[in-house]
Amino acid sequence: MKEKKQSALSRLMGIAGGHKYFTYASCVLAILSAWIALIPFYDIWRIMKEILEVRPDFADATHIKTYGWQAVGFALFAMVVYIAALMCSHIGAFRVQANMRTAMMEHIMKLPLGYVEKEGTGKLRKVVNDSSAATETFLAHNLPDKVVSVATPVGLLVVMFVFDWRLGIASLIPAVLAFIMMGTLMMGPKMAEDMKQYQNALETMSSEAVEYVRGIPVVKTFGQTVYSFKKFKAAIDDYEKWTLDYTKGMMMVLFTMSANGIFAALIIVAYILGGNHVSNTFVLNLIFYILITSVLTTTLMKIAYAGESQMLVEDALQRMDDILNAKPLVNTEKQEIPKDASITMEHVTFAYDEAKKNAIDDISMKIPAGAHIALVGPSGGGKTTLASLVARFWDVKDGSIKIGGVDVKNIDTKKLMEEVSYVFQDSKLLKISILENIRMGRPDATDEEVMQALSAAQCMDIIEKFPAGVHTMIGSKGIYVSGGEAQRLSIARAFLKNAPILILDEATAFADPDNERLVQKAFENLAKDKTVIMIAHRLSTITDADCIYVLKDGKIAENGTHEELAAKNGIYTHMWKEYNKSVNWQVGRKGETA
């Protein structure tokens, strides 16, 4: 038997825990406020009735003041009850939002680092923030409005048929048509899919817009036009096509016409029923219906918007599930301590989820403690993947990786992070001071130890150019540093951590010539007495490596020292010749322009 899918509201109540009762209380209070808000209309009807009965002797209308104050009193009372409903709904909504963010962040902390790198921190941050914000808006505002929108027609049905059932039916026909269109056209599976496509189109256009803005210096420098950014234009065109197709569908137009057509229906029916003989009671009821049906129109529009927000919540929950369904790293109870910094790979095989072929295919190698090895090869050969498996960014599919004779799966995650330092090609600095950025390598480090790490990483010229020195803030509230400077600061963080295994993933990729020289000097200092795995595209930086492994299509194609590989006339020989040609070409070009 197929398990029934849990509704979005039921899931949110499960996330709310004990605070779900605040949401239930908000719904009850919202219903009461909706019904209390109808009482002033009855008082208005009594005022109009008394005026029609005593005309032209309006001095005999002695109850108008009483009815008027009573209408004001009930209107204020309805407002107070609704405010209480909103207070309860906000308490429940904030708890759901907090619990969702906590659950997602706790799960993300358990996921492989490779998953975070693959998905991107920007996308994960957007899901965590926007998904929880969508549920907060729905529970705090849209749900009470939706409850009011359902309770109000129930009260209106009673009121409408008490005074004149014929006008009541006339009022309901357009409303029923609007409800039918809402259910079949605006809240069905097609609309849910349309809302998903709309969110995807907005997300794509926003992402491409950011990339375009970042690329404006390139556009100006090389005289390119906006049409060189084909992906950005394509995103705009796709969004335009979606909005035009949605508008041509006429769903919202037909719904709005029906919801606002109640007044027209009343006039037509009144003309047919009244003819040339219109009684005071009929006029009174007609005016009353015209007044009160405006509430029905507003109610229908609120239901439509509440339905749209519910679809957004369902989409938000699905995006949250995509994160929560990602499998975390499995830690065994058997926790062992590596005896040294040696690395052993035995028949390691790995494939990314949904990939058609292995990224790493049956690789074995032994790296002695203190050895310096390099991974080179064509793009997509598996260099970064293999290095990330050592740090357990992912778990291998087959085979094993051992550090100091211990399988990385049997090393406590915190202990493993103490054993391995990973310097990425695109270093990340947080929007905090330089001091605190470096101290992330070892939170209990003293200021003096941080300064020693900065000095060893060739960062003192960076510190000295800022008045606040090491206390200078990074980011929007402070300063920005170049790619090469950010790389040196990341190396200082690795210095402070002082892990016995060091992985350098094309760490000089974004460094200019001056910074590259300093970065290389920092690496020399950092690599002393450590086991080093270096991924490099600048082959001149790895000629002194103890062993160079050439990876192609996830396999080791060649391995040996620089001299041995250069003499083989194989892949590495070709790469070395091409690298030297590019270096000589750059030197020649510089000479020509000098």
Side-chain angles (χ1 to χ4, degrees):
M1 184 176 178
K2 188 176 180 180
E3 186 178 350
K4 186 178 180 181
K5 184 178 179 182
Q6 194 176 20
S7 68
L9 184 58
S10 297
R11 288 203 58 194
L12 292 177
M13 292 302 94
I15 296 171
H19 283 69
K20 64 184 177 183
Y21 298 108
F22 284 99
T23 303
Y24 296 151
S26 75
C27 292
V28 172
L29 291 171
I31 292 172
L32 291 176
S33 72
W35 289 342
I36 294 170
L38 295 177
I39 297 176
F41 288 96
Y42 175 64
D43 289 322
I44 292 172
W45 178 83
R46 291 201 291 181
I47 290 173
M48 292 188 298
K49 180 176 182 295
E50 186 165 342
I51 290 174
L52 290 174
E53 288 175 347
V54 302
R55 64 176 184 168
D57 299 322
F58 297 112
D60 294 336
T62 57
H63 300 93
I64 291 178
K65 188 174 182 180
T66 301
Y67 296 152
W69 280 113
Q70 185 171 300
V72 171
F74 277 109
L76 291 175
F77 183 45
M79 188 183 302
V80 170
V81 174
Y82 188 66
I83 290 173
L86 288 180
M87 291 177 67
C88 290
S89 69
H90 275 73
I91 294 173
F94 290 149
R95 174 57 61 174
V96 169
Q97 184 180 38
N99 287 350
M100 283 182 66
R101 290 185 176 182
T102 301
M104 282 189 281
M105 289 307 301
E106 287 181 347
H107 189 72
I108 288 172
M109 293 298 292
K110 298 175 184 177
L111 293 176
L113 291 176
Y115 174 86
V116 178
E117 283 293 308
K118 180 173 72 73
E119 294 295 321
T121 55
K123 179 181 177 180
L124 292 176
R125 182 176 65 246
K126 186 176 187 302
V127 172
V128 171
N129 289 337
D130 292 3
S131 296
S132 57
T135 60
E136 186 271 328
T137 300
F138 174 74
L139 290 176
H141 300 280
N142 299 131
L143 183 60
D145 283 346
K146 188 175 182 179
V147 170
V148 168
S149 302
V150 173
T152 299
V154 174
L156 286 175
L157 281 173
V158 176
V159 172
M160 285 178 177
F161 286 97
V162 164
F163 296 96
D164 192 314
W165 64 270
R166 297 168 301 174
L167 293 177
I169 292 176
S171 302
L172 288 178
I173 291 174
V176 170
L177 290 175
F179 265 113
I180 292 172
M181 279 184 285
M182 188 189 306
T184 58
L185 299 177
M186 298 182 65
M187 292 187 181
K190 185 180 182 304
M191 185 60 181
E193 180 61 26
D194 286 344
M195 288 302 300
K196 182 179 180 180
Q197 292 179 7
Y198 174 67
Q199 289 297 320
N200 290 339
L202 275 179
E203 187 175 299
T204 301
M205 188 169 63
S206 176
S207 176
E208 293 301 331
V210 171
E211 292 302 315
Y212 173 67
V213 171
R214 288 176 175 174
I216 285 177
V218 178
V219 175
K220 290 186 175 181
T221 301
F222 294 100
Q224 298 180 18
T225 66
V226 68
Y227 295 102
S228 63
F229 290 84
K230 294 180 181 179
K231 291 176 67 178
F232 181 35
K233 185 176 184 301
I236 296 174
D237 291 343
D238 288 343
Y239 179 74
E240 177 189 29
K241 182 178 182 302
W242 190 94
T243 52
L244 289 176
D245 290 344
Y246 177 76
T247 303
K248 291 175 183 177
M250 300 292 287
M251 289 186 294
M252 194 65 183
V253 174
L254 292 173
F255 169 75
T256 305
M257 286 178 59
S258 298
N260 289 280
I262 299 174
F263 173 78
L266 280 172
I267 297 301
I268 293 171
V269 171
Y271 179 78
I272 294 173
L273 295 176
N276 296 322
H277 304 284
V278 179
S279 65
N280 287 345
T281 302
F282 185 81
V283 171
L284 173 64
N285 289 338
L286 177 62
I287 295 173
F288 174 75
Y289 275 86
I290 291 173
L291 287 174
I292 202 166
T293 51
S294 63
V295 178
L296 185 57
T297 299
T298 304
T299 298
L300 289 171
M301 297 304 293
K302 283 185 176 182
I303 293 175
Y305 289 123
E308 179 181 317
S309 66
Q310 182 167 338
M311 291 179 189
L312 290 175
V313 168
E314 290 172 352
D315 182 65
L317 288 172
Q318 180 58 54
R319 294 176 190 273
M320 181 187 77
D321 286 341
D322 290 342
I323 292 178
L324 296 180
N325 291 336
K327 294 181 180 178
L329 290 174
V330 178
N331 289 316
T332 62
E333 295 181 1
K334 182 181 178 182
Q335 302 295 339
E336 301 179 39
I337 305 297
K339 63 182 180 181
D340 55 33
S342 63
I343 302 171
T344 304
M345 303 182 192
E346 298 175 349
H347 304 289
V348 173
T349 298
F350 174 78
Y352 291 102
D353 292 339
E354 301 179 1
K356 294 182 179 179
K357 65 177 185 178
N358 292 332
I360 300 297
D361 194 0
D362 195 24
I363 284 182
S364 297
M365 69 171 68
K366 291 184 178 181
I367 307 172
H372 292 189
I373 68 110
L375 303 177
V376 300
S379 178
K383 303 181 295 296
T384 298
T385 301
L386 185 61
S388 66
L389 290 173
V390 175
R392 210 188 173 196
F393 285 13
W394 306 97
D395 272 340
V396 299
K397 303 299 181 184
D398 289 303
S400 65
I401 296 178
K402 297 178 180 179
I403 293 178
V406 179
D407 194 312
V408 292
K409 294 180 180 180
N410 295 331
I411 303 175
D412 181 72
T413 303
K414 184 178 180 182
K415 177 62 179 175
L416 181 61
M417 290 299 99
E418 292 175 356
E419 292 290 315
V420 182
S421 284
Y422 203 116
V423 180
F424 299 88
Q425 60 176 313
D426 184 14
S427 299
K428 301 291 192 299
L429 296 176
L430 302 184
K431 294 180 180 180
I432 52 180
S433 70
I434 294 176
L435 177 70
E436 293 305 318
N437 263 291
I438 307 306
R439 189 174 270 149
M440 289 176 65
R442 183 155 55 87
D444 60 349
T446 64
D447 290 1
E448 183 180 354
E449 288 173 326
V450 172
M451 295 305 297
Q452 289 174 355
L454 286 166
S455 178
Q458 310 295 304
C459 295
M460 294 313 295
D461 62 315
I462 303 174
I463 305 302
E464 290 168 357
K465 71 180 182 180
F466 300 125
V470 75
H471 298 289
T472 301
M473 297 296 293
I474 298 287
S476 56
K477 295 184 178 181
I479 54 89
Y480 290 93
V481 295
S482 69
E485 290 174 335
Q487 198 69 304
R488 281 189 277 156
L489 291 171
S490 294
I491 295 169
R493 191 156 54 196
F495 258 111
L496 190 64
K497 185 177 180 180
N498 197 30
I501 297 175
L502 178 63
I503 300 176
L504 307 174
D505 187 357
E506 295 191 2
T508 61
F510 298 131
D512 55 72
D514 290 336
N515 269 299
E516 183 180 4
R517 177 179 55 83
L518 293 170
V519 169
Q520 288 294 347
K521 180 63 177 174
F523 281 155
E524 291 175 11
N525 295 337
L526 179 60
K528 290 177 182 177
D529 304 321
K530 289 181 172 59
T531 304
V532 178
I533 299 176
M534 178 182 290
I535 302 169
H537 67 285
R538 295 180 182 177
L539 299 185
S540 60
T541 62
I542 52 114
T543 54
D544 295 330
D546 297 321
C547 187
I548 300 171
Y549 292 88
V550 181
L551 269 62
K552 183 179 180 182
D553 298 328
K555 296 178 178 290
I556 298 176
E558 301 171 353
N559 68 282
T561 64
H562 168 71
E563 290 77 14
E564 291 170 347
L565 292 175
K568 277 187 176 181
N569 197 30
I571 298 174
Y572 184 83
T573 305
H574 176 73
M575 292 175 61
W576 179 248
K577 288 179 180 178
E578 292 298 317
Y579 173 74
N580 282 313
K581 283 181 183 179
S582 67
V583 172
N584 292 332
W585 181 83
Q586 291 176 3
V587 172
R589 296 290 295 175
K590 288 179 181 178
E592 290 172 13
T593 58

